[in-house]
Amino acid sequence: MSIHSVRRHQCNLAWDNSIAPVAHVESGDTVTFDCIDASNGQVQRNSTVASISNMIFEQLDPVHGPVFIKGALPGDTLQIDILDVETAGWGWTGLIPGFGLLADEFTEPGLKIWKFTEDNKFAWFDEAKGIKVPLRPFPGEIGLARGVPGAFSTIPPYNTGGNVDTKFLSAGSTLYLPVEVEGGLLSVGDGHAAQGDGGTAIETPMKLTVRVTVRKDRPYTKTPHFRTVVGQEDAGDYYATTGIEPDIRDATRSAVHHMIEFLVQRFGIDRKEAYILCSVAGDLRMHEVVDMPNFVVGMLLPRSLFPADSD
């Protein structure tokens, strides 16, 4: 196993399979990404709301890479084990005019600079009032190049990943992405220190360490799948599929369809049985609803339903 590094300046503002890789790695190697924040450095620790007012939108959400994984071919799955996520010790949340679920109501720019506790376990919302947010850092952007030619915005998510903004992709989780081009061309960015389902995050510079493995045995991976421990409020080991569509209902149906396909192919049960299992044991979560034009909805099933050696 080798360890590789992607540096902060090795970034792009589009998903484009013609971009030359910054590193070539073997299946099973570890890669560390040093990522600037989602503002591309336009917001700093001492920034004021003027940084939001003057923000250049076209520079938002850079992704670092791409990394070519040897042996990854179209139709394969790239398994990405998230080993460690390190924040910068501070973060920001902005209200950007014209962006977000309630953009029609919140038309003025806003900026919150967050100070983290010394142990990096919480961010102070209001230290005087004792209000703090628990931190669970993860990459908002993590994806592979699309199989179609051209430059695609990093703002919306795609079936190959990208701006999936899914809070469960923290250290200890595993992400599975469909490979559409040779080498996969993995890029990451948009560090989040914390985020609720579907919402806007505490943005932060990030160092992300992952292990990449080419899988030839997962033909059912057509959108991002992941395995995660959800959280203390309903702790447990879960397997999830996602639906990524411009309509929330279509995204929800897609997430369920992908879980049915996973169950049919992985465990050899028929579609009716799979649908019943999803109905009685599955949870639907809205992971991302602000990165237009696509939404991300997940279907989660407890892994306690499955044999211990399944993934």
Side-chain angles (χ1 to χ4, degrees):
M1 180 190 73
S2 299
I3 300 175
H4 306 267
S5 296
V6 176
R7 302 186 184 280
R8 186 166 291 194
H9 70 276
Q10 295 174 311
C11 63
N12 303 284
L13 290 167
W15 298 100
D16 188 336
N17 60 33
S18 69
I19 296 175
V22 301
H24 289 73
V25 308
E26 302 281 350
S27 177
D29 283 356
T30 297
V31 187
T32 295
F33 296 83
D34 184 6
C35 304
I36 199 167
D37 72 296
S39 78
N40 210 346
Q42 296 180 82
V43 178
Q44 300 290 329
R45 192 191 299 257
N46 59 351
S47 289
T48 67
V49 71
S51 296
I52 303 297
S53 301
N54 300 324
M55 184 170 284
I56 302 172
F57 198 78
E58 292 76 16
Q59 293 184 7
L60 299 183
D61 278 354
V63 291
H64 298 257
V67 173
F68 186 102
I69 299 92
K70 298 175 185 176
L73 298 173
D76 293 343
T77 295
L78 187 67
Q79 175 179 322
I80 304 164
D81 296 303
I82 299 177
L83 305 180
D84 187 59
V85 189
E86 179 183 342
T87 71
W90 70 279
W92 65 274
T93 302
L95 297 179
I96 302 174
F99 183 81
L101 187 65
L102 301 181
D104 58 326
E105 297 182 27
F106 293 85
T107 58
E108 298 296 321
L111 177 65
K112 171 74 174 180
I113 301 293
W114 300 81
K115 183 179 76 171
F116 297 173
T117 57
E118 290 186 4
D119 59 7
N120 276 328
K121 291 184 178 180
F122 297 91
W124 285 110
F125 177 78
D126 190 318
E127 191 168 1
K129 295 179 179 179
I131 304 174
K132 57 188 178 182
V133 174
L135 300 185
R136 186 177 179 177
F138 69 95
E141 293 263 9
I142 182 165
L144 305 179
R146 303 185 71 193
V148 289
F152 296 89
S153 170
T154 58
I155 299 297
Y158 305 97
N159 285 344
T160 50
N163 201 13
V164 291
D165 277 353
T166 299
K167 70 176 185 179
F168 304 120
L169 301 181
S170 53
S173 65
T174 298
L175 175 65
Y176 304 93
L177 294 176
V179 176
E180 292 189 356
V181 298
E182 183 179 2
L185 300 179
L186 171 67
S187 297
V188 305
D190 187 22
H192 291 175
Q195 179 194 295
D197 272 324
T200 300
I202 298 177
E203 310 287 349
T204 183
M206 168 190 71
K207 286 188 178 180
L208 176 73
T209 301
V210 303
R211 181 174 57 248
V212 294
T213 306
V214 177
R215 298 286 298 267
K216 306 286 186 179
D217 59 343
R218 296 178 58 91
Y220 43 79
T221 307
K222 303 299 183 184
T223 60
H225 293 202
F226 60 88
R227 175 182 169 181
T228 186
V229 175
V230 169
Q232 293 182 353
E233 74 282 359
D234 54 346
D237 196 351
Y238 286 79
Y239 187 88
T241 56
T242 63
I244 301 176
E245 300 288 346
D247 178 86
I248 288 181
R249 180 174 171 81
D250 289 343
T252 304
R253 287 169 57 88
S254 177
V256 177
H257 280 137
H258 289 299
M259 183 61 80
I260 290 172
E261 192 65 22
F262 164 73
L263 293 170
V264 169
Q265 294 200 38
R266 179 65 180 82
F267 299 106
I269 61 179
D270 67 33
R271 285 177 53 81
K272 289 181 180 179
E273 290 178 318
Y275 186 28
I276 290 171
L277 185 58
C278 289
S279 297
V280 302
D283 291 322
L284 287 165
R285 313 277 297 239
M286 289 194 303
H287 298 315
E288 180 279 303
V289 298
V290 298
D291 296 321
M292 303 304 174
N294 292 335
F295 303 94
V296 182
V297 174
M299 160 65 77
L300 287 74
L301 281 179
R303 289 196 68 257
S304 59
L305 303 175
F306 310 134
D309 59 350
S310 62
D311 64 356

